[in-house]
Amino acid sequence: MKKLVLAVAAVVIMAGAAFAEGEINVKLGLDVAGTYSVDGGRDIDMNTGVNIQGEYLAVASDILKIGGGLQYLLPRNADGVSGDAGLSFLPIYATVEVNPIKSAKEVFFKANLGYGLVIPEDSDFSTESGLYYAIGAGYNFPSGLILDISYAWHAITSGDADATYNKLGLNAGWKFKI
């Protein structure tokens, strides 16, 4: 039920923002330095992964954009592990982007907050999805090219254990003004 409520909230935010001036951002990213930790124990290094991301941002002021988005993290395994035991993630989130530097308005800082759905590749692996957040910074080129870097945190419940997946993402994409 919680998943349905969050998904509906994301759709409402994005639909409401559709009536404002804004942009759609489509990005492809490389997730590096990912770690998986169960109950605060030893961090397990994760293989480098790829993500696909889409966002809608409505212009709220000269320095603020708000909106929503989703990101699909393709399956990834623990470093040195092969097979079907990998995890995929699908965060659905609200996002805020600020451009506080008037002399460099192409530079931005952003924050995402939402719900990260966990998609296990192994059907015997039981997980529950949880909180997702990310912070980052980037640069909007006049041509429409976007480059950004972000740190993201995903909460996961696996059986009776609480786990987290943290990653550093490097993203490149294109901005479409609407």
Side-chain angles (χ1 to χ4, degrees):
M1 182 63 161
K2 187 176 5 174
K3 294 176 191 177
L4 178 62
V5 170
L6 289 171
V8 169
V11 170
V12 168
I13 289 169
M14 290 171 37
F19 296 104
E21 175 188 347
E23 62 192 49
I24 294 175
N25 298 334
V26 179
K27 301 177 195 173
L28 182 63
L30 190 61
D31 299 328
V32 297
T35 58
Y36 181 80
S37 176
V38 178
D39 283 334
R42 182 178 68 89
D43 288 344
I44 300 167
D45 291 335
M46 298 294 283
N47 289 334
T48 298
V50 175
N51 75 68
I52 301 166
Q53 183 176 3
E55 295 178 334
Y56 176 81
L57 293 167
V59 176
S61 72
D62 290 344
I63 64 168
L64 177 67
K65 297 176 188 172
I66 58 172
L70 58 91
Q71 182 181 46
Y72 177 62
L73 285 68
L74 277 67
R76 59 222 42 222
N77 288 330
D79 195 22
V81 174
S82 61
D84 293 339
L87 292 174
S88 296
F89 298 89
L90 181 66
I92 301 169
Y93 55 88
T95 188
V96 175
E97 183 179 299
V98 294
N99 307 81
I101 307 170
K102 294 221 185 246
S103 61
K105 61 184 176 180
E106 299 85 5
V107 175
F108 65 86
F109 302 95
K110 70 179 298 177
N112 301 339
L113 179 62
Y115 192 74
L117 302 170
V118 179
I119 307 165
E121 293 297 302
D122 181 353
S123 60
D124 294 334
F125 188 71
S126 173
T127 63
E128 293 180 25
S129 305
L131 180 68
Y132 157 81
Y133 70 83
I135 57 171
Y139 192 86
N140 287 311
F141 288 88
S143 64
L145 177 67
I146 306 165
L147 296 177
D148 70 36
I149 184 169
S150 63
Y151 173 79
W153 180 85
H154 302 261
I156 307 164
T157 301
S158 178
D160 292 334
D162 291 328
T164 59
Y165 173 63
N166 304 300
K167 71 174 183 76
L168 182 65
L170 308 170
N171 305 299
W174 204 259
K175 174 189 339 182
F176 300 95
K177 297 262 187 192
I178 53 173

